Structure formats: structure tokens, C-alpha cells
Amino acid sequence: MHTPHHQEALTTDLAHELAEFSLGLSRALRQDHAPSSALSMMEVSVLFSVYEHPGTTTAELARQHRMAPQSMRPWVVELLNKELIDRTPDEHDRRAHRLSVTELGRASLAKEKERHMAKLTSNIDQHFKTADQQRFLEVVRELKVLLRAD
């Protein structure tokens, strides 16, 4: 039987390990970023945010990335110049513009995802047996509930 203190310590350890793993995976994917890639990691991050939240504004992107709007603006301008995103005036606030991903932007995101998936798939195949892969898949699917938690 687990005591409340033991359960609390276990939950804290699990949260710590998940956070460390998440940061490590993010770091590994950033380090794997091909120098010859047409997009920087920040551009990919901003592009993906616009893809996930069509109609977002530069100010909203800045909040998502925990930066000042004036710091986000150059990234948005770069993606606009590369024709990876479009902007349209907000119907209610003419000072604001709503952002959306273009077809070229979607293709660029697909290429980045394909590259990351190839790297992860290769690493998984090299390091884990099929039975372990099945077990991890089940656990990861269960852990996705944390992404939906408020």
C-alpha cells in the first residue's frame, strides 16, 4: 500500500522525468536541424503555431512563444517574405492582421515533419525491440491526456 507521501513523491518524480524527457527530445530535434534547411527552428516553430491556430495575430504568437510582439514581428515578416504565411486585416480591428499558412508553408511543414519522423523512426528501430516499442506506444498514447489538461 502506498502512503500519501509516497504517492506524492512518485507523482513528483514522474513529472520531473517527463519534463526532462520533453526538453531533451525538443533539444535533440533542434540539434538535428539540417543547416541546409530553408527554415530556422524558430521559423518552423512560428509556422507550426500559425498552422495550429489559423487566424492568429502576431501579438498572440508572441504570447505563445513568451516574447514581446516587437520581437515576434521579424519572424512573421520573414515567413511572409518567404510566402509561407499570408495575412489579412482583422474585420473588427483594422490595426491587427490575421495570419494563415499558405500551400507552400504547408509543404514546408510536411517536409520538416518527414525529416524529424525519419530520424525518430531510425533511432527507435536501432534502440528498441518490437515488444518494447508496443509497450512505449501504449504508454505514450495514455500520456497524451496531459496535453489536453488545463
Side-chain angles (χ1 to χ4, degrees):
M1 179 107 187
H2 295 293
T3 66
H5 177 71
H6 181 266
Q7 181 61 45
E8 184 179 323
L10 180 63
T11 302
T12 300
D13 286 349
L14 177 58
H16 175 78
E17 291 294 329
L18 282 171
E20 191 174 299
F21 173 77
S22 173
L23 289 172
L25 179 60
S26 178
R27 189 178 308 115
L29 291 174
R30 277 195 313 271
Q31 288 173 346
D32 182 48
H33 189 71
S36 61
S37 175
L39 299 176
S40 71
M41 283 307 293
M42 185 61 178
E43 288 171 326
V44 171
S45 180
V46 173
L47 184 59
F48 187 72
S49 292
V50 175
Y51 175 80
E52 282 190 314
H53 307 283
T56 193
T57 65
T58 300
E60 291 165 348
L61 279 173
R63 276 192 295 280
Q64 290 171 13
H65 286 83
R66 293 193 167 112
M67 59 177 31
Q70 59 270 28
S71 298
M72 177 57 71
R73 201 163 289 114
W75 297 109
V76 169
V77 168
E78 186 64 26
L79 293 173
L80 286 166
N81 290 340
K82 290 181 178 181
E83 299 181 352
L84 300 176
I85 60 173
D86 280 329
R87 69 181 193 168
T88 56
D90 184 288
E91 293 178 7
H92 305 290
D93 181 358
R94 289 292 179 193
R95 296 170 298 165
H97 289 87
R98 299 287 169 181
L99 304 171
S100 60
V101 177
T102 65
E103 285 302 317
L104 182 59
R106 280 192 255 304
S108 293
L109 280 175
K111 184 177 177 182
E112 289 293 322
K113 181 179 179 180
E114 183 179 316
R115 197 173 54 72
H116 286 299
M117 290 302 296
K119 177 69 173 178
L120 284 172
T121 300
S122 173
N123 283 344
I124 290 168
D125 279 341
Q126 284 178 358
H127 297 285
F128 300 107
K129 296 176 185 171
T130 302
D132 290 334
Q133 290 181 30
Q134 183 62 44
R135 188 170 49 92
F136 294 153
L137 177 60
E138 292 166 10
V139 169
V140 168
R141 285 181 174 159
E142 289 180 32
L143 286 172
K144 283 185 176 180
V145 71
L146 297 176
L147 300 175
R148 294 185 294 274
D150 289 329

